[in-house]
Structures are given as C-alpha cells and as structure tokens.
Amino acid sequence: MQIYKVGGAVRDRLLGKPVTDIDWVVVGATAEEMLAKGFRPVGSDFPVFLHPKSGEEYALARTERKSGRGYGGFTFHASPEVTLEEDLIRRDLTINAMAEDDQGVLTDPYHGQQDLENRLLRHVSPAFAEDPLRVLRVARFAARYAGLGFRVAPDTLELMRQLSESGELEALTPERSWKEISRALMEDHPQVFIQVLRDSGALKVLLPEVEALFGVPQPAAHHPEIDSGVHTLSVLEQAALHKQPLSVRWACLLHDLGKGLTPQSEWPQHIAHEHKGLKLIKQVNERFKAPRDCQELALLVGQYHTHGHRALELKPSTLAELLQSFDVYRRPQRFEEFIAACEMDARGRLGLEERAYPQADYLRGAATAARTVAVQPLLEQGFKGPELGEALKRERLKALKAYKEQYSQ
C-alpha cells in the first residue's frame, strides 16, 4: 500500500499558495484493507474513505470509463492493480494531475509542473471531453488564477467548444452547475469565468440571457464602454474587487438581462429594460435552483437598480415605496446588498470605476429615517389593525420628506 497526496494540495504548494483541503490516493490496497485500518467508507459510486483521526478523504486508485451522459455517466474500476499514473490520467487538468509521496517526491507524468510555470490550464488527456462539468471547472480555475497570469491552452479550449456543441452540457443537473457557478463567482476574477464560458461556446448554452447582452450597445454618455455584455463583466469585476457576497455578485451578473430583449430599432436606448428583464432573471434563477436569497436580490436589483442611481431625485413617496418593496423594516441587510449592487453597477463603467456614489449614503439615511418612526405613540393614539398600518405609512412618509428637505439644504 502506497499513499500519495494529490491534486489541489500539490498544485497550490508548488504555486506558493495556502493549502486548505488535502486529498489522498491509495495505490495497491483493497477496500477490506482500508476498513481493517479503521477508515470509514463514504460515497456509493467509488471507494472513498475517511481517515479515522484526521477525517481527510482517502480514495483508492481507480480508472473510469464513459457509460452515459453528463457528469455522472461513468463507470469506475478500483483495484490494487491500478497504478498511480492510471489514476492521475483521468483527472481534468495537468496541474491537478500531480502527486507527492510522504517524502515530498513529486510524481508528474503529464507535465503539470511545466504547465504551472507556463501558466497554462491544459487538459490531461482526450478523455477530458467526456465530462461536461469540466467546462465549468476549467473556467472556474481560469477565474481563480487569472491574477497569476494563467490562461486556457488553445487545444483545451477547443475541446471545451466541442463539449459545448455536443449537447452534453444540458445533461448537467442544476445542483452541479450551481455549485461550480457559485464557487466561480466568489473567485477573485469572476468576470474571467464568464469570458471563458463565452470563448468556449458554453455561455450561450448555460446562460443564453447573458450571452445575448454582448454586442448590444448602450448610450455612450452613461456607458463609455457601450457594450452591455462588457458592462456586465465590469460590474462583476467591481463586485469582486469590493469583496461583495455571493448574492450581490449573482445580482450583478443578471441585473441588465432586459437589455438583451430591446429591439435593434430602439438601440442604444433600453426603455423599461428593468421590468422586461424580470422574466429572464426568474427563469435563470429557476434553471440553476439558486438559493432563495440570491433569487430575491437578483429580482429586486433587476427591477429597482435605476431607482438606486436616481435616488437623490426620487420623491419621498417613491422612496417610501422602494423601502417597502425591500421590507427594509424587517430585512435591513437585503437593502444594504441592493445598495452595494447599485454601486457596483455604477462603477462598472469604463473610466468611472473610482467615481463617487453619494446615492449609497443617501439611501442608507432614508432607510434610517423611515425606521426611526416609532409604533408605540400610534398605538397610544388608538390606532390598530389596518388603520395602524396606514398611520405608520403616513408617519414614515413625513420622516422621509423631512429627511429629503434636510439633505437638500
């Protein structure tokens, strides 16, 4: 029995990055031997075991063969005869197909270390094209390591195109797709993830609503970058630079989908794109079964982001309706995330990345003014039921009028 550290732990050590998760491969062992040593079995598809003390995953060396469609369409074979090289060749990228023994000796049969030095994301073997999930994984790695200068190797990108055209991407489950998309959006350069998906032809399969934004012009006065797709990438880039949470990044990706529906005859104007985009945002949310907080924020940002930009011009009554739409009295954090998404949208414009966004503090102040209206005095005046709700609305509107007047002075 020989045990090797494999995959990401080896890759990140060679890159000088922190190693968090460690995966191990066991060569020359049977499941029975693992159980006898106290390892606990997990997973039904192939033999993976948890170490009795550390809880880390140890997998028996295995080979795999394509037997159906999609990510799960594989038959696995694990036995003591499977070599380390045979196990490594089934992996996606050369930089993930290296192993280290307990002495730190590197096994690198597919030149992963050289590709690390050349900053290349390259597939290990033609079998790469058998697993559609790898299109998303490679795009995610491109987003993770873009800051180090990594790029997708041309021959790997070609295999990704073939996968995108094969119909295999449609076989991915919403859960698997969302797991990769959500992880990619939280990388340092999520815009690279979207760009690589586009370069490989996968974006038009997975997110045709985002693909449709590219080549659609916007008014140059507000959007010096002009192209709606380029703007979306820039907004996503700003969200990452400002360390926004997943819900904000998801909303940033989807906020302008309505612009993809504007007839060419109306370009570069996009009248009512906020409302038109809601059905598209809803269908993307449902396609990937996004978490509820992501779904709700994406819809609210899609509908109201121009309100955010025009905050200083809004009438107190419109401000009151906006705050009510966000249920800001019970869910203040969601409104804060809306403000963040609006600010990223404003900064995601060519040459305007550092422009001040006073709307953010103005909206926060408005929310605070409305929230400071106390219910108790109204109860003491005898208001109850629907009448109490109406009285509360009136008092909040008064507070917002006073806030706006004070701000204007």
Side-chain angles (χ1 to χ4, degrees):
M1 182 190 297
Q2 293 172 291
I3 297 176
Y4 297 89
K5 190 183 294 183
V6 294
V10 180
R11 175 197 70 225
D12 288 343
R13 185 188 69 76
L14 291 171
L15 281 173
K17 296 179 75 70
V19 174
T20 49
D21 297 323
I22 300 179
D23 292 319
W24 305 86
V25 159
V26 184
V27 177
T30 64
E32 290 73 23
E33 287 174 299
M34 298 295 285
L35 294 171
K37 289 180 179 291
F39 284 81
R40 303 191 308 278
V42 290
S44 54
D45 293 337
F46 42 81
V48 177
F49 301 85
L50 297 182
H51 191 281
K53 291 182 180 176
S54 71
E56 291 175 333
E57 287 192 358
Y58 285 67
L60 294 187
R62 64 187 187 268
T63 59
E64 63 186 31
R65 183 172 56 82
K66 184 77 168 169
S67 58
R69 288 190 81 210
Y71 165 75
F74 292 89
T75 302
F76 297 95
H77 170 67
S79 81
E81 287 75 44
V82 176
T83 67
L84 179 61
E85 287 74 15
E86 287 174 324
D87 182 272
L88 293 175
I89 201 171
R90 66 180 177 76
R91 296 170 187 269
D92 52 5
L93 297 171
T94 59
I95 65 169
N96 296 330
M98 295 180 284
E100 246 176 23
D101 66 14
D102 57 1
Q103 303 298 311
V105 176
L106 188 71
T107 299
D108 181 19
Y110 309 109
H111 313 297
Q113 192 169 17
Q114 184 180 326
D115 284 339
L116 275 184
E117 291 167 5
N118 293 333
R119 299 303 196 239
L120 273 183
L121 301 172
R122 186 191 299 283
H123 63 283
V124 178
S125 77
F128 174 95
E130 295 177 351
D131 184 355
L133 191 67
R134 288 175 169 176
V135 173
L136 288 164
R137 276 177 56 83
V138 172
R140 174 165 64 82
F141 280 118
R144 176 180 298 178
Y145 296 121
L148 296 177
F150 275 81
R151 66 193 190 283
V152 181
D155 49 347
T156 302
L157 194 62
E158 181 53 39
L159 280 182
M160 292 166 70
R161 287 195 194 99
Q162 291 174 24
L163 257 174
S164 299
E165 293 166 6
S166 70
E168 282 271 328
L169 288 175
E170 287 93 328
L172 290 174
T173 64
E175 293 79 9
R176 287 301 311 181
S177 296
W178 176 254
K179 186 177 180 181
E180 289 297 324
I181 290 168
S182 59
R183 289 177 71 184
L185 290 179
M186 292 308 294
E187 298 289 1
D188 288 342
H189 299 275
Q191 74 280 7
V192 173
F193 172 72
I194 300 298
Q195 186 61 59
V196 170
L197 289 184
R198 186 161 188 256
D199 293 343
S200 66
L203 191 63
K204 64 186 175 190
V205 179
L206 297 166
L207 283 163
E209 301 86 353
V210 176
E211 173 75 34
L213 296 175
F214 289 89
V216 175
Q218 305 163 103
H222 302 296
H223 287 277
E225 72 285 350
I226 298 177
D227 189 291
S228 298
V230 171
H231 167 63
T232 296
L233 296 185
S234 298
V235 176
L236 206 47
E237 181 179 11
Q238 289 299 314
L241 282 171
H242 289 84
K243 309 295 183 190
Q244 298 296 346
L246 176 61
S247 53
V248 172
R249 298 187 193 205
W250 182 241
C252 285
L253 177 63
L254 306 185
H255 79 284
D256 264 350
L257 292 187
K259 291 180 179 177
L261 298 175
T262 305
Q264 284 192 30
S265 58
E266 295 178 16
W267 288 355
Q269 303 299 324
H270 296 280
I271 298 165
H273 75 275
E274 305 90 347
H275 179 72
K276 291 175 185 173
L278 293 181
K279 64 180 181 182
L280 299 183
I281 294 172
K282 189 175 181 184
Q283 71 188 29
V284 173
N285 277 334
E286 291 174 353
R287 182 182 311 140
F288 297 110
K289 297 184 179 177
R292 185 174 174 181
D293 63 326
C294 290
Q295 293 201 28
E296 290 178 354
L297 188 68
L299 285 164
L300 287 165
V301 170
Q303 185 169 359
Y304 292 114
H305 61 276
T306 46
H307 275 53
H309 301 328
R310 294 177 47 245
L312 278 66
E313 307 160 27
L314 297 180
K315 295 185 294 187
S317 58
T318 308
L319 258 179
E321 289 169 9
L322 180 68
L323 295 174
Q324 189 64 42
S325 298
F326 278 84
D327 194 10
V328 75
Y329 308 104
R330 291 185 300 177
R331 300 181 63 180
Q333 183 56 33
R334 185 167 66 177
F335 191 61
E336 187 60 41
E337 290 182 355
F338 164 73
I339 294 170
C342 290
E343 185 168 355
M344 298 308 101
D345 182 25
R347 292 183 184 281
R349 305 173 193 222
L350 188 64
L352 304 177
E353 296 85 358
E354 302 298 325
R355 183 174 61 168
Y357 195 70
Q359 295 94 322
D361 283 339
Y362 181 79
L363 287 169
R364 289 188 188 103
T368 299
R371 272 200 299 268
T372 52
V373 174
V375 178
Q376 190 59 35
L378 299 175
L379 290 170
E380 290 169 0
Q381 291 174 48
F383 289 108
K384 56 185 177 181
E387 290 181 348
L388 175 62
E390 288 303 312
L392 198 52
K393 275 187 185 176
R394 286 195 300 273
E395 292 303 311
R396 285 169 176 166
L397 184 57
K398 277 186 198 174
L400 288 169
K401 283 179 180 174
Y403 171 72
K404 186 171 177 66
E405 285 173 14
Q406 184 182 6
Y407 191 89
S408 302
Q409 289 171 359

